[in-house]
Amino acid sequence: MPHVLGVIGGDGIGPEVVAEGLKVLAAAGVQFDSVPYDLGGARYLQDGTVLTDEILDEWRGLDALFVGAVGTPDVPPGVIERGLLLRMRFELDLYVNRRPFRDPDGSFEFEVIRENTEGAYAGEGGFLRRHTPAEVATQGSVNTRFGVERCVRYAFELARGRPGRHLTLVHKTNVLTFAGDLWERTFNEVAEEYPDVATAYNHVDAACIYLVEDPKRYDVIVTDNLFGDILTDLGGAVSGGIGLAASANLNPDRTGPSMFEPVHGSAPDIVGTGRANPTAAILSAAMMVDFLGETDAASRIRAACADPTTQVGTTAQIGDAISERV
């Protein structure tokens, strides 16, 4: 049976890179039916739609979601991010954000597992005396044992299956003494069940330095939502650029579809120029079909993307070159 994929091209270069991702999947022999959804900043400006309950219900019956990029400068910050992307994560329980990073010359390879539904992005907080000189804004970080533990367990399972068998917890326990304590205690307790996985702890500021100076020290990193958001952008920068950075928003329990998207934004300044590198979207598509059981196709796509000869040309030319090699 073909996989049924919800496809959200979104804004800017999103439709361009998604088209190349679907092209490569077809070239790799993956059987799929795509269901397009017109969502993103442009749709919001058109009629105010961000994400309806009806669309969410449709998504629950799909195998996966493939997203290009969403957001336009004309939409106020937070409308699309919270109303579409974060709502997808919360409603579909996409509690693991998984992002792999590999240096183009092969000198290092690591993955970051970011808790995806709690922390500072949970939406706790508010205003007091807004729009006055005495205004107060609070923004809390919500961390539950349940949420932390299931993310940590996923990271240990991933680390156990990798050659390095090493997992690093990244947090800020010396300052965030409540959330950090919960994360560290949970990490240490779960670690007792994985004696074959070596562990370490880094403060997040130290981890930023190490990612720049010595990324080879990392195998798998597990961290909270906010720190993971920052570290993964830095990970993209040190591994060839954010145009190569793929991501998976996973529901490991498979109670609903998982979502796959490149890390980069919609880049409205280069729309239609052919300058957008589709590799991150193509690698995200590889993660998607790998999660759906198409491991051979995913491996061939990753190998083709790693070939430096495929990384030359326009958006469509790069997609064509990768398609030829799968």
Side-chain angles (χ1 to χ4, degrees):
M1 294 290 290
H3 306 293
V4 183
L5 310 177
V7 178
I8 305 161
D11 301 305
I13 62 170
E16 299 174 25
V17 298
V18 159
E20 300 309 311
L22 297 177
K23 176 199 295 182
V24 171
L25 289 184
V30 177
Q31 301 295 312
F32 64 89
D33 294 326
S34 59
V35 182
Y37 289 91
D38 177 19
L39 297 171
R43 176 64 187 275
Y44 173 77
L45 292 172
Q46 176 184 324
D47 61 12
T49 298
V50 180
L51 176 59
T52 66
D53 292 340
E54 291 75 18
I55 291 175
L56 266 172
D57 288 340
E58 286 183 27
W59 284 352
R60 298 182 201 281
L62 303 180
D63 293 316
L65 297 165
F66 185 33
V67 179
V70 293
T72 65
D74 298 327
V75 178
V79 172
I80 303 301
E81 293 83 356
R82 295 209 66 87
L84 178 57
L85 296 177
L86 292 187
R87 191 179 178 203
M88 290 169 73
R89 295 173 187 174
F90 299 150
E91 294 280 352
L92 301 176
D93 204 21
L94 309 179
Y95 64 85
V96 165
N97 184 273
R98 179 176 176 179
R99 298 189 183 182
F101 299 99
R102 179 184 181 276
D103 187 48
D105 65 11
S107 64
F108 65 81
E109 182 180 353
F110 64 91
E111 298 204 36
V112 177
I113 300 302
R114 163 190 171 190
E115 199 290 316
N116 213 29
T117 60
E118 295 187 348
Y121 293 3
E124 190 277 336
F127 293 101
L128 180 65
R129 297 188 293 273
R130 195 178 187 194
H131 301 308
T132 75
E135 181 172 356
V136 177
T138 63
Q139 191 82 60
S141 179
V142 178
N143 300 265
T144 68
R145 173 67 188 227
F146 170 77
V148 172
E149 183 171 336
R150 65 181 182 172
C151 180
V152 166
R153 285 189 178 279
Y154 182 91
F156 269 105
E157 288 291 333
L158 176 63
R160 171 178 274 175
R162 290 171 57 89
R165 291 195 173 190
H166 190 279
L167 179 61
T168 303
L169 170 64
V170 172
H171 211 280
K172 190 66 175 172
T173 57
N174 59 337
V175 175
L176 303 178
T177 54
F178 302 119
D181 182 72
L182 174 58
W183 271 88
E184 190 168 43
R185 279 188 293 109
T186 303
F187 182 83
N188 291 337
E189 290 169 16
V190 174
E192 294 178 3
E193 303 175 32
Y194 294 84
D196 53 334
V197 177
T199 62
Y201 170 80
N202 291 159
H203 290 324
V204 64
D205 42 351
C208 290
I209 296 172
Y210 297 148
L211 278 175
V212 173
E213 293 185 343
D214 184 27
K216 294 188 295 295
R217 72 164 54 210
Y218 292 117
D219 184 24
V220 180
I221 293 171
V222 64
T223 189
D224 86 338
N225 210 336
L226 176 59
F227 295 149
D229 195 0
I230 297 166
L231 286 175
T232 50
D233 280 357
L234 182 55
V238 302
S239 58
I242 204 164
L244 303 177
S247 77
N249 296 268
L250 300 177
N251 177 332
D253 304 323
R254 301 178 189 264
T255 58
S258 294
M259 185 268 277
F260 303 81
E261 60 176 340
V263 175
H264 61 67
S266 59
D269 55 319
I270 61 170
V271 173
T273 65
R275 291 165 52 198
N277 189 331
T279 303
I282 294 168
L283 288 170
S284 298
M287 296 183 75
M288 175 171 63
V289 296
D290 201 352
F291 190 73
L292 295 176
E294 304 271 4
T295 55
D296 177 67
S299 295
R300 287 186 283 117
I301 293 170
R302 285 192 288 264
C305 290
D307 183 342
T309 65
T310 65
Q311 297 300 306
V312 180
T314 65
T315 306
Q317 288 170 340
I318 292 174
D320 289 340
I322 294 171
S323 295
E324 291 173 3
R325 282 161 179 76
V326 298

